[in-house]
Amino acid sequence: MISYNAEGVRFPKIKRRETTAWIRRVAESYGKKVGEVGYLFCDDEHILQVNREYLGHDYYTDIITFDYCEGDVLNGDLVISLDTIRTNAELFHRPYDEELHRVIIHGILHLCGQNDKGPGERELMEAAENRALALR
């Protein structure tokens, strides 16, 4: 089950059923099944608080992924800052909706085993995001 919630922000204009089906397709393309995945859309201040409290990081980010996967079943909580998505959409000259969906799937790709911190991994993650966006 995939759940979507918002705290301190207006819920983004996403089509939940279509988004859920898309997430499932992407997971299946990695040989995974979706278990319990929860999205929390929030503002910059909330994600900063989560970043400080749970990761010891003192900076803003677009998404934090908490991975509770078991085998091939995706389980996790994804915290997404709509403020940072808006800023990044402007910075990268992308439509807000595209950037939102890029970040939504970015967390799923992390749950599927994709990383983006090591050498060359960012490019691989971007390619995976682009493939996933093409499945929308």
Side-chain angles (χ1 to χ4, degrees):
M1 178 177 153
I2 300 175
S3 63
Y4 304 93
N5 296 288
E7 184 171 314
V9 295
R10 174 177 269 155
F11 194 86
K13 294 180 181 179
I14 61 170
K15 297 178 180 175
R16 294 180 202 203
R17 279 192 197 153
E18 289 177 17
T19 301
T20 295
W22 171 55
I23 290 168
R24 290 184 191 284
R25 285 193 304 276
V26 172
E28 287 170 7
S29 76
Y30 285 86
K32 309 286 184 181
K33 293 181 181 177
V34 175
E36 297 291 326
V37 174
Y39 283 93
L40 176 64
F41 300 103
C42 63
D43 61 13
D44 272 350
E45 293 312 309
H46 185 81
I47 206 164
L48 179 61
Q49 176 187 348
V50 171
N51 222 355
R52 286 174 176 159
E53 184 175 340
Y54 293 97
L55 302 176
H57 299 158
D58 193 26
Y59 54 82
Y60 299 103
T61 187
D62 52 0
I63 185 170
I64 298 173
T65 302
F66 294 98
D67 184 339
Y68 312 123
C69 294
E70 297 176 7
D72 290 335
V73 179
L74 304 184
N75 297 296
D77 290 319
L78 300 98
V79 183
I80 296 178
S81 171
L82 298 181
D83 292 337
T84 299
I85 288 176
R86 188 169 289 104
T87 300
N88 287 347
E90 292 172 10
L91 181 68
F92 299 123
H93 307 289
R94 291 185 183 134
Y96 174 81
D97 184 64
E98 179 185 323
E99 188 65 16
L100 174 61
H101 284 86
R102 180 176 297 278
V103 174
I104 286 171
I105 212 62
H106 181 93
I108 295 298
L109 293 170
H110 275 307
L111 296 179
C112 288
Q114 294 288 314
N115 293 310
D116 58 359
K117 299 294 185 214
E121 289 180 337
R122 182 68 216 150
E123 294 79 8
L124 294 173
M125 177 63 89
E126 286 179 17
E129 290 169 356
N130 290 336
R131 283 191 305 276
L133 287 168
L135 294 175
R136 263 184 72 212

